Amino acid sequence: GPPDKIGVTSYLGALGYTVLLIDTQHTMAFSLLDDGTWGGIVAQIESDAFCAIVVWPPASTFRDEAPQVRTLHEPYGVRAATAKANNIPKSAVDKVIMANHQLHKIADAVSRMQRRGHPYIWVMPDAVGEEVSMESLVAVQTIREGGAKITRTLGCTYGTPGRNPTAILHGNCVFAKASQECPHTPGHYTEPGHRARWRQELRASSEFSRAIASTLAVAVSSRAAAST
């Protein structure tokens, strides 16, 4: 997500919540494919140690890069015959397989949380307008396989630090739909210069992070009030 000072972790901390941050992309110390790490997370979920979960799954294998290992016809990765015919190296195929395993673990955690009545938010880049990106399609299918119910909301174009439209999949919480005419879309840029654009982009990311944190906080408070 966004830098720490304007990220969801920071805003949740300001609201009084303790946050366990697990980076599955930049460090193997928190690999969900490690049995010890995953078993510990499951045990904490089942003991209600967490009151909410928000995830930004790694998206590098969904980007339009060469070699293209994911396609609309094979969103979970091309078959061995296709890879061989297109000279796609085994390392690229293995990277997608590992990413799929990570996605299924994340979806399992989300499903376990929702079954226990806790809110979740799953954030990802999306396609323009009402279209759905390949990543969204895979995410929705993976979450449903885990048994979780899904509500999909389109987010602000600058909801992420990058310049991608954003989709929010969520459950056990209410996330207001962002305006499609928000001041963060590229067509509304009036400030010249790279630094001015970057400041505006960070401001949008900050607002988006604050919205996620407040949405989770409201859902957690409502659940606590209903159980008393």
Side-chain angles (χ1 to χ4, degrees):
D4 289 343
K5 64 181 180 180
I6 61 169
V8 175
T9 299
S10 176
Y11 287 118
L12 286 172
L15 293 172
Y17 293 95
T18 300
V19 180
L20 173 63
L21 182 61
I22 299 178
D23 185 346
T24 62
Q25 188 169 10
H26 299 104
T27 172
M28 288 304 293
F30 294 106
S31 172
L32 298 182
L33 304 183
D34 176 77
D35 290 341
T37 300
W38 175 243
I41 292 173
V42 169
Q44 291 182 82
I45 291 175
E46 297 299 329
S47 64
D48 290 325
F50 304 124
C51 59
I53 182 173
V54 55
V55 297
W56 265 271
S60 61
T61 60
F62 288 92
R63 294 172 186 157
D64 187 15
E65 298 177 345
Q68 188 175 5
V69 186
R70 295 186 191 270
T71 68
L72 288 176
H73 296 292
E74 297 173 299
Y76 290 95
V78 297
R79 294 170 297 175
T82 304
K84 183 177 181 180
N86 291 275
N87 296 318
I88 297 175
K90 183 177 182 298
S91 59
V93 176
D94 289 343
K95 183 179 178 181
V96 171
I97 292 174
M98 293 289 287
N100 289 341
H101 288 328
Q102 292 268 24
L103 280 173
H104 278 91
K105 292 291 188 182
I106 294 170
D108 188 10
V110 163
S111 299
R112 288 172 185 270
M113 288 289 288
Q114 195 196 42
R115 286 197 294 270
R116 302 189 72 82
H118 301 298
Y120 80 84
I121 292 178
W122 181 307
V123 185
M124 73 193 70
D126 203 6
V128 177
E130 295 295 329
E131 296 180 3
V132 181
S133 68
M134 181 164 54
E135 184 179 356
S136 289
L137 290 172
V138 171
V140 167
Q141 181 62 30
T142 305
I143 295 172
R144 284 178 175 164
E145 288 175 358
K149 296 180 180 179
I150 304 170
T151 300
R152 178 175 175 269
T153 301
L154 287 177
C156 167
T157 304
Y158 276 78
T160 60
R163 294 174 172 81
N164 297 308
T166 306
I168 306 101
L169 307 180
H170 51 97
N172 292 345
C173 61
V174 178
F175 202 104
K177 183 174 182 177
S179 170
Q180 297 304 299
E181 297 298 327
C182 68
H184 313 128
T185 54
H188 287 76
Y189 264 158
T190 56
E191 298 177 271
H194 176 75
R195 291 190 176 185
R197 290 199 301 272
W198 177 241
R199 284 197 297 272
Q200 183 165 342
E201 186 174 325
L202 285 179
R203 186 161 61 249
S205 297
S206 176
E207 293 169 7
F208 187 72
S209 298
R210 186 185 295 111
I212 290 176
S214 61
T215 296
L216 291 176
V218 168
V220 170
S221 297
S222 299
R223 184 175 185 274
S227 62
T228 57

